[in-house]
Amino acid sequence: MENKDWKEECAVVGVYNVTNAASMTYYSLFSMQHRGQEATGISSSNGEKIVTIKKKGLVTEVFDNESLSKLKGFSAIGHNRYSTAGEDSMADAQPIFARYDLGQVAIVHNGNLTNAKEIKQELIRDGAIFQSYMDTENLIHLIARAKQENLVDRIKEAILRLKGAFCFIILSRKKMFVIRDCNGFRPLSLGEIKNADGSVGYIVASETCAFDLVGAKYLRDVAPGEMLVFSQKGMQSYNIMPSNPYPCVFEYVYFARPDSHIYGNVVYNIRKAMGEELALENPIEADLVIPVPDSGVAAAIGYSQKSGIPFELGIIRNHYIGRTFIEPTQQIRELKVRLKLNPIKELIENKRIIVIDDSIVRGTTSKQIVKILRDCGAKEIHMKISSPPTISPCYYGVDTPDISELISARMSNKEVCEFIGADSLSFLSLEGLKRSVGLKDYKFCQACFDGKYIL
Ligand code: SF4
């Protein structure tokens, strides 16, 4: 899904009792840059005060040695933002920092609250003044207004008001709190860091690729409905909501990095299995299997190995485009895809090509890919998608186009095939997807494929 029609849904990280907490947070955010490139931020605490630095831009653009040196202390939280709920403005960058009667807090959030509007209206009626358009700010106000005496109980009281998808990490001056919603829509893992003096610190992150970079050991996932409290006494766990796991299957399809462990499985292996299933469900004679890089690579390898049809990197991706380039005019809109993807003509010419991608959203990128392959002289182009047709938007923290823009919501597969100009088009079935991810004893959210929403 090279056109980023579905945007990733932010990354969160929290580090506690680690000597250089802000640096660990920085590297963790760097490893999860794929989940959000709009803005980034870190709050750290030295036990006396919380300092926050956040800006628009990539992790490496926002932070340098000088800014990191201002983020002192043993605990830190961080966030990479991709605008979902809220606007694309600095006020919506995270962490959000606030002072209230019990002291200072900073909060990061990954997800989307389905009852955010109702709660916000209720809070505004009650006199609250909001500084951003973010769902996340609701939690600050709810904590400040909660009736309980200590912060742990206030957070519990506030969280129980919220519905939807959320992974929250909350930093106070001396503690760190981690909460995952009862459905566990978005992933969140817990790891351990050994300090040079032998003491043990902790890290919590959206993806385990963050652990690999900072040398942390994966312990387990934060359970749906669980709250972890980190303090000088160590880590305590509370089940604050009845757990009903319903994690996002699209993490396996597209969002997560292939080297991360999500819900206990290596993402790369699951993507390969999707390609194998696709080969079993949709066999066809061809000369080459090529992926749409990078999102289709693992599935294309799986398809090639299962079908025996050779794999080639027939399309090369330019990784150095950056986030902004001048939007091509109508006449040269093909340039937009060519800027990122360039085919190797000598591999493609006179060949029957199977092209593997992870999903089709609007269909415009697939159409342009088919065209550039045709221009290279491909004899046949068979587009195969390693997930089912996406027919419904996401309300659980992924920024998706309106349903009217989802091509499979308004066209049959045959019509989509005609639109993109391929010789054939096939999708992995929902059953095939379930087999690939091993759904035997685990329910996943697959609402974007079947339109069945749990909330
Ligand atoms: S609707 Fe789709 S993208 Fe959203 S949480 Fe469910 S599976 Fe994931």
Side-chain angles (χ1 to χ4, degrees):
M1 192 164 45
E2 202 44 49
N3 51 358
K4 297 276 183 200
D5 275 330
W6 281 32
K7 294 171 181 173
E8 288 89 343
E9 358 68 296
C10 307
V12 292
V13 58
V15 171
Y16 191 85
N17 197 36
V18 173
T19 325
N20 45 358
S23 296
M24 288 279 181
T25 304
Y26 166 82
Y27 287 116
S28 302
L29 290 174
F30 174 74
S31 72
M32 297 189 291
Q33 189 75 81
H34 60 289
R35 298 183 78 87
Q37 298 98 46
E38 190 65 45
T40 189
I42 297 175
S43 293
S44 73
S45 174
N46 60 2
E48 299 297 320
K49 69 172 184 176
I50 294 175
V51 175
T52 300
I53 296 177
K54 57 181 179 178
K55 264 190 199 167
K56 288 187 87 162
L58 301 174
V59 177
T60 49
E61 294 167 349
V62 169
F63 293 104
D64 55 18
N65 282 335
E66 194 191 333
S67 53
L68 283 175
S69 70
K70 293 176 187 155
L71 293 164
K72 299 188 193 325
F74 60 90
S75 61
I77 61 174
H79 188 267
N80 284 339
R81 173 174 171 74
Y82 213 133
S83 47
T84 49
E87 299 289 318
D88 168 19
S89 76
M90 252 319 287
D92 290 350
Q94 298 191 31
I96 303 180
F97 171 80
R99 287 188 184 82
Y100 72 118
D101 62 331
L102 292 184
Q104 304 174 352
V105 286
I107 298 186
V108 290
H109 170 210
N110 175 18
N112 191 44
L113 303 178
T114 51
N115 64 343
K117 267 193 195 146
E118 296 98 275
I119 291 193
K120 188 170 182 180
Q121 276 161 9
E122 185 188 312
L123 287 163
I124 288 172
R125 273 198 303 273
D126 204 27
I129 295 168
F130 278 75
Q131 295 181 3
S132 76
Y133 292 99
M134 279 182 293
D135 293 359
T136 317
E137 210 180 328
N138 282 327
L139 185 61
I140 296 256
H141 288 289
L142 289 172
I143 291 171
R145 282 151 199 261
K147 305 281 180 290
Q148 307 297 327
E149 300 234 320
N150 63 58
L151 186 53
V152 175
D153 292 332
R154 281 197 184 193
I155 291 173
K156 278 193 215 168
E157 184 184 322
I159 287 287
L160 293 176
R161 296 285 322 278
L162 305 179
K163 286 190 191 141
F166 53 83
C167 291
F168 283 112
I169 308 182
I170 304 171
L171 187 70
S172 70
R173 283 173 300 182
K174 297 195 186 322
K175 295 181 181 175
M176 186 172 84
F177 307 82
V178 174
I179 308 111
R180 190 171 176 208
D181 69 75
C182 63
N183 302 116
F185 283 109
R186 309 260 67 89
L188 193 64
S189 298
L190 168 69
E192 188 182 83
I193 295 174
K194 284 258 166 26
N195 289 309
D197 63 3
S199 63
V200 173
Y202 294 96
I203 177 168
V204 175
S206 299
E207 286 191 37
T208 62
C209 58
F211 297 175
D212 299 337
L213 190 59
V214 300
K217 182 177 144 200
Y218 169 79
L219 293 177
R220 64 178 175 88
D221 284 356
V222 178
E226 183 178 21
M227 174 159 94
L228 296 174
V229 180
F230 298 88
S231 68
Q232 291 308 309
K233 291 186 210 149
M235 181 183 80
Q236 287 168 295
S237 163
Y238 303 86
N239 289 322
I240 60 170
M241 294 166 273
S243 163
N244 179 22
Y246 213 62
C248 170
V249 79
F250 224 99
E251 291 285 347
Y252 283 140
V253 173
Y254 173 68
F255 297 132
R257 254 174 62 158
D259 50 339
S260 283
H261 285 69
I262 296 284
Y263 320 135
N265 289 308
V266 180
V267 174
Y268 178 82
N269 290 343
I270 301 287
R271 287 194 188 146
K272 244 180 98 178
M274 289 171 184
E276 289 167 6
E277 283 291 336
L278 196 55
L280 291 173
E281 288 186 353
N282 298 284
I284 196 162
E285 283 189 14
D287 302 309
L288 285 183
V289 176
I290 66 167
V292 175
D294 294 327
S295 52
V297 172
I301 291 171
Y303 193 104
S304 166
Q305 290 179 355
K306 189 53 91 179
S307 65
I309 300 170
F311 170 95
E312 293 283 3
L313 286 173
I315 302 173
I316 302 302
R317 179 176 172 189
N318 183 344
H319 289 264
Y320 304 100
I321 292 169
R323 286 164 304 125
T324 52
F325 51 83
I326 298 162
E327 277 290 311
T329 59
Q330 187 74 4
Q331 294 94 312
I332 52 166
R333 62 171 179 246
E334 201 183 292
L335 177 65
K336 196 169 174 181
V337 164
R338 285 234 178 220
L339 278 168
K340 283 188 194 165
L341 305 174
N342 198 34
I344 302 176
K345 189 171 190 290
E346 292 70 14
L347 278 177
I348 308 293
E349 203 165 17
N350 288 323
K351 300 274 183 16
R352 297 166 300 169
I353 308 285
I354 293 173
V355 185
I356 309 279
D357 203 354
D358 65 283
S359 54
I360 293 184
V361 181
R362 292 183 171 92
T364 44
T365 300
S366 303
K367 188 182 173 102
Q368 288 169 7
I369 289 168
V370 170
K371 179 163 186 321
I372 60 177
L373 293 174
R374 286 246 187 265
D375 291 346
C376 287
K379 214 194 290 176
E380 294 171 19
I381 301 168
H382 303 283
M383 182 69 81
K384 296 194 180 292
I385 307 298
S386 60
S387 66
T390 45
I391 57 162
S392 289
C394 175
Y395 302 112
Y396 308 132
V398 178
D399 191 15
T400 48
D402 187 80
I403 190 163
S404 61
E405 294 180 67
L406 299 175
I407 192 166
S408 290
R410 50 189 173 81
M411 288 188 194
S412 67
N413 289 358
K414 189 167 170 283
E415 288 167 331
V416 176
C417 183
E418 281 166 16
F419 175 81
I420 66 173
D423 294 288
S424 76
L425 167 68
S426 41
F427 293 85
L428 184 63
S429 69
L430 208 43
E431 289 311 310
L433 179 69
K434 288 178 187 176
R435 280 193 296 275
S436 312
V437 299
L439 274 176
K440 277 184 219 101
D441 46 2
Y442 217 96
K443 281 188 297 176
F444 281 79
C445 177
Q446 55 198 37
C448 44
F449 302 128
D450 64 10
K452 293 179 186 158
Y453 298 96
I454 191 174
L455 296 175

